[in-house]
Amino acid sequence: MICMFIPHVKIIALMPLFILMSSIFIIMFSMILKRNHVFVFCITLCSLLCTLVSLFYIYYIVPVTITSLLYINFYSLAYIFIVIFSSICMISIVYIFLENFYNHKEEFYILLLSSITGAVILIEANHIFTIFIGMELLSLPIFGLITYSFKRSTSIPVILKYVLLSSIVTSFSLLGITVIYLICGTLKLNYIKIAFLINNIFINKILLFGVVFFLTSVFFKLSLFPLHFWITDVYNYASPVLLIYSVTVVKVAVFSILIKLFVYFPYIQCQKLYLFIELLAILSIICGSIMAAFQNNIKTFFGYSSIVHIGYILTTLLVIQDYYISNNIAIIYLINYTMSSIGIFSVLSILILRNKNVNFDLQSLSVYNTLLKGKPILCIAIIIIMFSFLGMPFTYGFITKFLILSIMIQNKFWFLLLSVAISSGFGIYYYLKIILCLYNTRNMISIQNRTPYTRIEIVIIFISILIVILGICPQLIMNILRLNN
């Protein structure tokens, strides 16, 4: 019946959303009959795998415009692929984690799938209304996911603080949307570009004001400087599996819409906006590096480190006039950032699972040497992931840093280049500090729980192998991207 009214091409393009939403209803219905963690886990994993497979079918029909609200092209598929791949890696860890710590396990999957659905809508959005809906659907379930922390009594104030800040930022976005609608008379993205091109300087200044207010919510989700102040609390109390989700799925989905929005901001009429982005990138890179250098808390350290990496990726917005190069480099960088983040927070998960009955400070860098005892392969895998973050040769991180630097040099972004030089100095210091902590055999803490958690270790080792392969053969990714240009 649906096929009679909607072309089959559009139905195929909507398959990821159909699959994700169907799985949510199946899980909810199954919970009415009987709670079963294994069943819910299998449904979630199957739905993510089916979503991943559906992307290959959609690949042959893109670009597709699904009404004026949603639009899918090759880059949308690439961003969705990163989101779903990250979610699958996360799910493989989540099961062990939930089995060990929590009572309401099934609800976790419902919240997670709802948030992933929001991420997919956000990536496919082609209208400010769908961007707003996608952003809220992506964020709201996270408030519930934060409660799955170890210190539940302290997580409530953190959630309230995060909800309050999000609400304030959302109100700024709504103000921005109102201004955009007043100037453009519609919320379609292409009308923003037309409005910039046909209106006079005064009207454009008002429109630019609205755009900056609307983008405030995006910058907050990306935790860019100076909207990063929530990181310390949330990263301290959130579980590592939620952090995997927060630093990969959330940031990839939000950045995908940011780069899509900038296509509709003509450079000549929006020069001040591009200067603002350059300043934001410089401040994020320098301040994120300085704050990370003075951290002894491993989770907040990687929180501040993520600010630096998002600062790097912002550089691609400055060359959005070359749509393909900008998107290609952003995707290449995000793939490395996502893989490395999954690897690092998986390591955190192992330590927390082993520490179940032992009382020591999990946040401290000095306790991570216990992980390496009798685990030489895992040790090498962790070091490879660290080197990839640092951008060392023969890792995928080296290629990504090289591409970002080439953009800066070709376009003479000298201040950005200087900030990268400063950041690299700090980066060498703090990543080597972690590696030295891992090798330090003094004051090694004895942990009673010696369960191997092989599944998580396999994920870490697999990611490190992938980083080396892509570091030696970067053309594997580049050829795919070039082929679709």
Side-chain angles (χ1 to χ4, degrees):
M1 181 65 78
I2 295 173
C3 297
M4 291 173 65
F5 302 102
I6 307 174
H8 73 281
V9 173
K10 293 186 179 181
I11 293 174
I12 293 171
L14 285 170
M15 274 171 63
L17 289 174
F18 284 144
I19 294 168
L20 289 169
M21 287 192 284
S22 304
S23 61
I24 293 171
F25 284 115
I26 291 170
I27 292 171
M28 290 173 73
F29 186 71
S30 73
M31 284 171 63
I32 295 170
L33 300 174
K34 187 182 179 182
R35 284 177 175 269
N36 188 323
H37 184 205
V38 177
F39 176 76
V40 172
F41 168 76
C42 291
I43 291 292
T44 308
L45 188 60
C46 286
S47 68
L48 291 173
L49 289 172
C50 289
T51 307
L52 204 64
V53 172
S54 70
L55 299 180
F56 292 98
Y57 285 99
I58 301 170
Y59 172 78
Y60 292 102
I61 59 168
V62 290
V64 182
T65 302
I66 313 166
T67 73
S68 58
L69 298 177
L70 299 172
Y71 171 74
I72 305 175
N73 62 7
F74 168 73
Y75 292 112
S76 308
L77 292 182
Y79 289 117
I80 294 173
F81 182 88
I82 299 172
V83 163
I84 301 298
F85 175 79
S86 308
S87 304
I88 290 171
C89 290
M90 178 193 167
I91 284 290
S92 62
I93 301 169
V94 157
Y95 180 81
I96 306 170
F97 218 71
L98 291 174
E99 277 293 306
N100 281 274
F101 287 98
Y102 305 112
N103 294 323
H104 304 286
K105 304 175 180 70
E106 293 79 10
E107 284 82 351
F108 186 95
Y109 297 96
I110 294 174
L111 291 169
L112 188 68
L113 286 170
S114 303
S115 186
I116 294 169
T117 306
V120 174
I121 291 173
L122 188 61
I123 293 169
E124 295 179 359
N126 196 37
H127 192 284
I128 287 184
F129 175 73
T130 36
I131 292 174
F132 185 77
I133 294 293
M135 195 90 78
E136 293 307 306
L137 191 54
L138 172 71
S139 306
L140 287 176
I142 292 176
F143 301 146
L145 291 173
I146 296 174
T147 58
Y148 288 79
S149 66
F150 307 106
K151 299 175 182 176
R152 297 184 185 187
S153 58
T154 51
S155 67
I156 301 299
V158 173
I159 294 167
L160 289 174
K161 184 179 177 182
Y162 187 60
V163 169
L164 182 65
L165 291 171
S166 295
S167 305
I168 294 169
V169 171
T170 303
S171 64
F172 280 117
S173 278
L174 287 171
L175 175 64
I177 291 171
T178 309
V179 174
I180 292 169
Y181 185 77
L182 282 173
I183 301 295
C184 302
T186 175
L187 293 176
K188 290 180 182 176
L189 294 181
N190 54 341
Y191 278 73
I192 297 175
K193 187 171 185 176
I194 294 168
F196 271 121
L197 293 174
I198 63 173
N199 285 319
N200 59 38
I201 295 172
F202 177 72
I203 300 291
N204 278 347
K205 281 182 180 175
I206 298 173
L207 183 55
L208 208 54
F209 169 82
V211 166
V212 170
F213 267 75
F214 175 63
L215 292 178
T216 309
S217 178
V218 177
F219 296 151
F220 178 79
K221 298 286 187 302
L222 290 173
S223 59
L224 284 167
F225 182 88
L227 298 173
H228 67 284
F229 40 81
W230 55 272
I231 274 188
T232 310
D233 289 330
V234 174
Y235 276 60
N236 262 335
Y237 296 109
S239 64
V241 285
L242 179 59
L243 291 181
I244 291 176
Y245 186 78
S246 177
V247 299
T248 56
V249 175
V250 174
K251 291 199 190 309
V252 170
V254 173
F255 186 80
S256 73
I257 202 60
L258 186 62
I259 202 163
K260 185 182 279 184
L261 280 168
F262 267 73
V263 173
Y264 298 97
F265 303 149
Y267 182 79
I268 295 172
Q269 287 77 10
C270 304
Q271 278 190 23
K272 288 180 182 173
L273 180 62
Y274 283 91
L275 282 172
F276 177 67
I277 292 294
E278 188 175 350
L279 180 65
L280 213 56
I282 292 169
L283 289 174
S284 297
I285 291 169
I286 294 177
C287 296
S289 301
I290 293 171
M291 288 183 283
F294 295 101
Q295 291 298 318
N296 281 320
N297 181 321
I298 190 84
K299 288 203 281 189
T300 50
F301 164 78
F302 282 106
Y304 287 122
S305 171
S306 72
I307 299 174
V308 180
H309 290 289
I310 297 298
Y312 282 132
I313 304 172
L314 278 188
T315 310
T316 58
L317 298 179
L318 303 174
V319 292
I320 195 65
Q321 292 81 10
D322 196 331
Y323 177 75
Y324 296 113
I325 287 182
S326 177
N327 269 291
N328 287 352
I329 295 177
I331 286 170
I332 288 169
Y333 198 98
L334 284 170
I335 289 172
N336 177 60
Y337 170 72
T338 303
M339 287 194 304
S340 304
S341 298
I342 292 169
I344 285 301
F345 286 107
S346 301
V347 175
L348 266 172
S349 305
I350 293 179
L351 192 64
I352 289 169
L353 286 165
R354 283 187 177 178
N355 186 46
K356 192 176 178 183
N357 299 316
V358 181
N359 184 24
F360 62 80
D361 184 11
L362 283 167
Q363 322 290 358
S364 173
L365 282 174
S366 60
V367 300
Y368 284 79
N369 53 7
T370 56
L371 281 176
L372 299 181
K373 195 174 180 182
K375 300 276 184 186
I377 297 175
L378 186 64
C379 165
I380 294 168
I382 295 167
I383 291 171
I384 289 171
I385 293 168
M386 291 285 183
F387 278 177
S388 188
F389 263 132
L390 200 52
M392 298 294 280
F394 304 110
T395 64
Y396 190 45
F398 174 77
I399 306 299
T400 59
K401 287 275 175 67
F402 173 79
L403 292 171
I404 292 290
L405 288 175
S406 65
I407 286 181
M408 293 177 184
I409 293 169
Q410 283 176 9
N411 294 280
K412 301 177 181 176
F413 298 140
W414 303 124
F415 288 110
L416 265 171
L417 206 58
L418 181 64
S419 68
V420 169
I422 295 169
S423 167
S424 299
F426 280 104
I428 291 168
Y429 164 71
Y430 52 68
Y431 281 115
L432 287 181
K433 186 170 79 171
I434 295 174
I435 291 170
L436 288 173
C437 281
L438 292 171
Y439 270 109
N440 184 12
T441 54
R442 287 182 298 178
N443 303 320
M444 191 171 281
I445 296 166
S446 174
I447 299 179
Q448 294 169 359
N449 185 359
R450 288 291 171 195
T451 311
Y453 300 111
T454 312
R455 194 188 303 169
I456 302 176
E457 291 179 6
I458 289 171
V459 170
I460 298 167
I461 293 166
F462 171 72
I463 285 171
S464 66
I465 292 169
L466 213 54
I467 285 172
V468 173
I469 291 173
L470 292 176
I472 296 170
C473 309
Q475 64 272 23
L476 292 174
I477 298 285
M478 289 180 179
N479 285 345
I480 295 171
L481 295 171
R482 197 180 295 120
L483 190 68
N484 288 282
N485 289 346

